[in-house]
Amino acid sequence: VQLMESGGASVQAGGSLEVSCVTSGFDFSTCGMGWFRQTPGKEPELISIINSDDTITYRDSVKGRFTISRDNAKNTLRLQMLNLQTEDTALYTCAADIPCGLALHTYKYRGRGTQVTVSS
């Protein structure tokens, strides 16, 4: 199982960014996927999930600004982020709900993350 994030960058507040996660080693189309973010000294927080049936959930703090999507043909998960704020600064990590198809929502399999830094 491999999950590799990319697309992190430094942006100004109010700006936009899209991060991606290319995966391999499991049946992506049948798996729930999620995005976590973590800042130093804090536990990772789950900010959005997309199930295999494309149902989506967002954490309140990103609702209306972030959009999660999946491309099953490319085994890729994306997170579009609009109107970024300084509090969005974090390491963004994608996660797979493996074993797939059971909806356990444990998301134990995670990538190494991509850094997003938002400056005022």
Side-chain angles (χ1 to χ4, degrees):
V1 174
Q2 290 192 331
L3 302 97
M4 184 171 296
E5 303 87 346
S6 64
S10 295
V11 299
Q12 294 283 322
S16 303
L17 198 62
E18 182 174 271
V19 292
S20 299
C21 173
V22 177
T23 72
S24 63
F26 63 101
D27 191 353
F28 179 83
S29 65
T30 68
C31 239
M33 299 294 299
W35 283 100
F36 285 81
R37 66 184 182 186
Q38 185 176 20
T39 54
K42 294 187 177 181
E43 291 293 315
E45 64 173 11
L46 183 60
I47 59 171
S48 184
I49 63 172
I50 182 168
N51 296 309
S52 58
D53 63 359
D54 287 337
T55 55
I56 290 170
T57 304
Y58 296 103
R59 195 176 191 91
D60 284 348
S61 59
V62 306
K63 199 175 294 184
R65 299 186 299 122
F66 289 12
T67 302
I68 191 172
S69 63
R70 63 190 302 155
D71 184 340
N72 291 337
K74 296 182 178 180
N75 295 336
T76 298
L77 180 73
R78 295 186 177 92
L79 184 70
Q80 183 183 49
M81 302 178 286
L82 304 178
N83 190 23
L84 283 160
Q85 304 299 312
T86 55
E87 54 265 34
D88 295 318
T89 295
L91 182 71
Y92 284 73
T93 304
C94 69
D97 189 20
I98 294 172
C100 299
L102 300 181
L104 298 177
H105 299 294
T106 56
Y107 302 101
K108 294 181 179 179
Y109 287 81
R110 305 183 189 182
R112 292 192 173 188
T114 186
Q115 179 67 35
V116 173
T117 302
V118 185
S119 58
S120 58

